[in-house]
Amino acid sequence: KYSFGEALLQAIPFTCRWAWKVLIIFGQLITGQLSIKALGGPVTTIKSMATMTMQSFSLLFLLLPLIAVNLAVFNLLPIPALDGFQMIFVIIEWIRKKPVKREVVNMINNIGLIVLFAFVIVVDALQFIL
């Protein structure tokens, strides 16, 4: 019911509101206000999308931007192997005025990536157990 320009103007505040909600939920997970049962990995996401789109296909157009916002916010977190952690290294290099050894950066990112994959697998496995 919106023109293209109106839809684009509505999309920006919509995306910002969802990004803020994602940050609030992440904070609730860290503080323990939300249990680990609320988390899900890629398998849980696809299962939820399939269930919701069976109810109404138009929900897919709400879920896709939500997933994109989730990925964007998550990618900016300071977790090794994600872009947020790379920004920390840039700040460290800026303060020190010399680069961090690439071997150290690679080792931290590789370990972080393995831990991140393991966490995602465990979270998805818990969805089936709990």
Side-chain angles (χ1 to χ4, degrees):
K1 304 202 177 189
Y2 294 111
S3 70
F4 180 76
E6 292 171 335
L8 197 57
L9 287 175
Q10 292 291 324
I12 294 169
F14 175 81
T15 303
C16 291
R17 282 192 305 271
W18 275 107
W20 184 249
K21 288 179 184 180
V22 168
L23 287 172
I24 289 170
I25 290 170
F26 187 72
Q28 290 173 342
L29 284 167
I30 290 175
T31 59
Q33 295 172 331
L34 202 56
S35 99
I36 193 137
K37 293 178 188 177
L39 284 178
V43 175
T44 305
T45 302
I46 291 170
K47 181 182 169 190
S48 298
M49 284 180 68
T51 303
M52 293 180 89
T53 52
M54 280 198 269
Q55 295 171 2
S56 171
F57 187 73
S58 63
L59 286 175
L60 183 64
F61 295 108
L62 177 66
L63 292 173
L64 290 177
L66 180 59
I67 291 171
V69 168
N70 271 309
L71 289 173
V73 170
F74 187 75
N75 193 37
L76 290 175
L77 295 175
I79 297 172
L82 298 179
D83 289 339
F85 200 73
Q86 300 306 315
M87 292 184 336
I88 290 176
F89 274 118
V90 168
I91 292 169
I92 290 170
E93 291 174 351
W94 177 62
I95 291 171
R96 292 179 60 212
K97 305 269 191 263
K98 62 181 183 177
V100 178
K101 291 183 181 178
R102 293 296 128 201
E103 296 84 23
V104 173
V105 173
N106 287 337
M107 183 181 63
I108 291 172
N109 282 329
N110 289 337
I111 292 169
L113 188 62
I114 291 168
V115 170
L116 191 60
F117 280 161
F119 180 72
V120 167
I121 291 168
V122 167
V123 164
D124 260 341
L126 286 176
Q127 286 294 323
F128 292 110
I129 295 170
L130 301 176

